[in-house]
């Protein structure tokens, strides 16, 4: 009968450092694949396995058929050591050691791993429910929303959450439509491209890259800012028009009254603001 001590010993063995529990004929290898970007877990192989058996084992990890596999043995840096070209050869013949890489080349153009089919979820057809089918369902959010709006035409999910938390609800302010092409031109007059700046509220800092009107944005003057941190909304392009170039997520366009030019060194102050476009 197995004692509690035996069970604990087994657990300690399984959970212990792998180098202590490794048989002399076992080698720990990394796996890469010609069609896959995934980082595979370390795989343990016996040096007495032949290459054909290695391919069978790799099939369950990579999805590639053994018949379409070409295997390469590489060192830790990716330098090619040898081609594992003979299925009957034992793995030990090629002298792999812990940390080496087995690179799988899938030669089958119709393989499941080809063209990203095992990794790119955009290639998978998604189920889309029609409006008619959704309307037949019970206890949906849409039905709940319609019911609440019958009770209160100004109902919103935010208002409901405030009510449940017992805190006052303040409806968001509606921005007035601006018809003046020179809106905030005076505020923009003191802002020059190339100047350091701080954008408030929030104290986000960066570099002024554009000052002026912007096509496809509401009328008036805008300031294009390249932030020091990825707290922006774009890469200097807004609605298809490029005003400056920066990394995606570092650019934003704000009204001049939100921008103060001056000696503002970079700071790490990440936040978001709905007043940006």
């Amino acid at each position: 009968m197995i004692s509690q001590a035996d069970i604990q010993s087994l657990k300690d063995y399984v959970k212990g450092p792998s180098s202590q529990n490794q048989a002399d004929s076992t080698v720990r290898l990394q796996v890469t694949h010609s069609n896959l970007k995934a980082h595979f877990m370390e795989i343990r192989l016996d040096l007495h396995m032949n290459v054909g058996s290695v391919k069978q084992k790799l099939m369950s990890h990579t999805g590639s058929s053994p018949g379409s596999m070409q295997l390469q043995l590489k060192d830790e840096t990716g330098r090619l050591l040898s081609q594992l070209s003979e299925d009957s050869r034992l793995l030990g013949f090629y002298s792999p050691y812990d940390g080496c890489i087995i690179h799988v080349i899938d030669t089958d153009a119709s393989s499941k791993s080809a063209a990203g089919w095992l990794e790119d979820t955009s290639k998978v057809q998604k189920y889309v429910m029609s409006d008619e089918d959704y309307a037949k369902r019970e206890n949906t959010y849409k039905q709940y929303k319609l019911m609440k709006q019958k009770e209160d035409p100004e109902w919103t999910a935010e208002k409901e959450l405030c009510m449940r938390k017992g805190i006052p609800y303040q409806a968001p302010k509606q921005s007035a439509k601006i018809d003046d092409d020179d809106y905030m031109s005076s505020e923009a007059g003191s802002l020059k491209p190339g100047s350091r700046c701080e954008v408030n509220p929030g104290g986000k800092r960066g570099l002024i890259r554009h000052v002026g009107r912007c096509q496809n944005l509401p009328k008036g003057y805008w300031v294009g800012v390249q932030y020091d941190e990825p707290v922006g909304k774009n890469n200097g392009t807004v609605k298809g028009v490029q005003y400056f170039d920066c990394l995606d997520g570092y650019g934003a366009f704000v009204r001049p009254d939100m921008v103060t030019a001056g000696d503002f060194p970079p700071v790490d102050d990440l936040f978001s603001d709905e007043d940006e476009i």
Side-chain angles (χ1 to χ4, degrees):
M1 182 175 180
I2 299 177
S3 66
Q4 199 68 27
D6 293 331
I7 295 176
Q8 187 59 48
S9 296
L10 179 60
K11 289 182 178 179
D12 293 339
Y13 176 83
V14 172
K15 295 180 179 179
S18 58
S19 59
Q20 295 179 6
N21 306 330
Q22 183 172 319
D24 292 338
S25 63
T26 301
V27 63
R28 294 178 289 121
L29 305 175
Q30 301 294 327
V31 179
T32 58
H33 194 282
S34 60
N35 293 339
L36 303 175
K37 299 177 182 178
H39 178 73
F40 294 93
M41 293 180 62
E42 182 181 75
I43 187 172
R44 294 190 181 200
L45 299 174
D46 193 292
L47 296 174
H48 298 112
M49 296 174 66
N50 60 35
V51 173
S53 298
V54 172
K55 290 181 178 180
Q56 290 287 343
K57 188 173 183 69
L58 289 172
M59 178 177 66
S60 63
H61 289 265
T62 66
S64 295
S65 169
S68 62
M69 283 188 194
Q70 292 181 357
L71 301 185
Q72 295 179 338
L73 181 66
K74 301 182 179 182
D75 66 12
E76 306 94 323
T77 66
R79 181 175 63 90
L80 181 65
L81 298 177
S82 58
Q83 301 280 354
L84 280 59
S85 55
E86 298 182 44
D87 286 0
S88 60
R89 288 275 190 189
L90 298 183
L91 180 61
F93 173 80
Y94 299 96
S95 302
Y97 53 88
D98 289 349
C100 279
I101 300 169
I102 285 188
H103 180 61
V104 180
I105 300 175
D106 193 332
T107 61
D108 183 3
S110 61
S111 170
K112 293 180 180 178
S113 65
W117 280 102
L118 291 182
E119 294 180 314
D120 188 353
T121 57
S122 66
K123 295 178 178 292
V124 180
Q125 185 177 0
K126 311 298 190 301
Y127 172 72
V128 178
M129 182 180 293
S130 67
D131 292 339
E132 292 78 9
D133 289 338
Y134 182 75
K136 296 175 183 178
R137 297 175 67 92
E138 297 180 356
N139 300 319
T140 63
Y141 172 74
K142 186 175 182 180
Q143 290 175 343
Y144 179 78
K145 179 180 178 181
L146 291 173
M147 179 188 72
K148 299 299 290 187
Q149 287 179 337
K150 285 182 179 179
E151 299 173 358
D152 177 8
E154 297 182 355
W155 180 91
T156 64
E158 292 79 7
K159 187 175 182 179
E160 177 80 8
L161 289 174
C162 288
M163 182 187 69
R164 294 185 181 186
K165 293 178 180 178
I167 58 178
Y169 170 72
Q170 292 184 345
K173 296 180 180 179
Q174 298 294 326
S175 300
K177 184 177 181 180
I178 298 168
D179 291 322
D180 183 6
D181 283 333
D182 293 325
Y183 178 67
M184 289 198 178
S185 61
S186 59
E187 291 87 343
S190 61
L191 305 175
K192 306 297 180 185
S195 302
R196 292 286 303 172
C197 70
E198 183 175 80
V199 178
N200 283 292
K204 292 179 286 188
R205 296 184 179 184
L207 191 69
I208 296 175
R209 296 293 305 275
H210 170 83
V211 179
R213 303 180 184 90
C214 292
Q215 181 181 347
N216 296 330
L217 289 184
K219 292 183 178 181
Y221 278 68
W222 292 88
V223 181
V225 179
Q226 178 180 333
Y227 289 126
D228 297 329
E229 300 288 346
V231 293
K233 305 290 185 180
N234 51 58
N235 61 358
T237 298
V238 60
K239 296 187 178 181
V241 179
Q242 183 179 36
Y243 295 92
F244 61 93
D245 181 43
C246 69
L247 293 174
D248 193 31
Y250 283 78
F253 291 83
V254 297
R255 287 298 191 182
D257 62 343
M258 298 173 62
V259 183
T260 303
D263 184 17
F264 295 104
V267 294
D268 295 327
D269 189 9
L270 303 180
F271 73 101
S272 62
D273 194 297
E274 294 182 355
D275 288 333
E276 296 176 1
I277 296 178

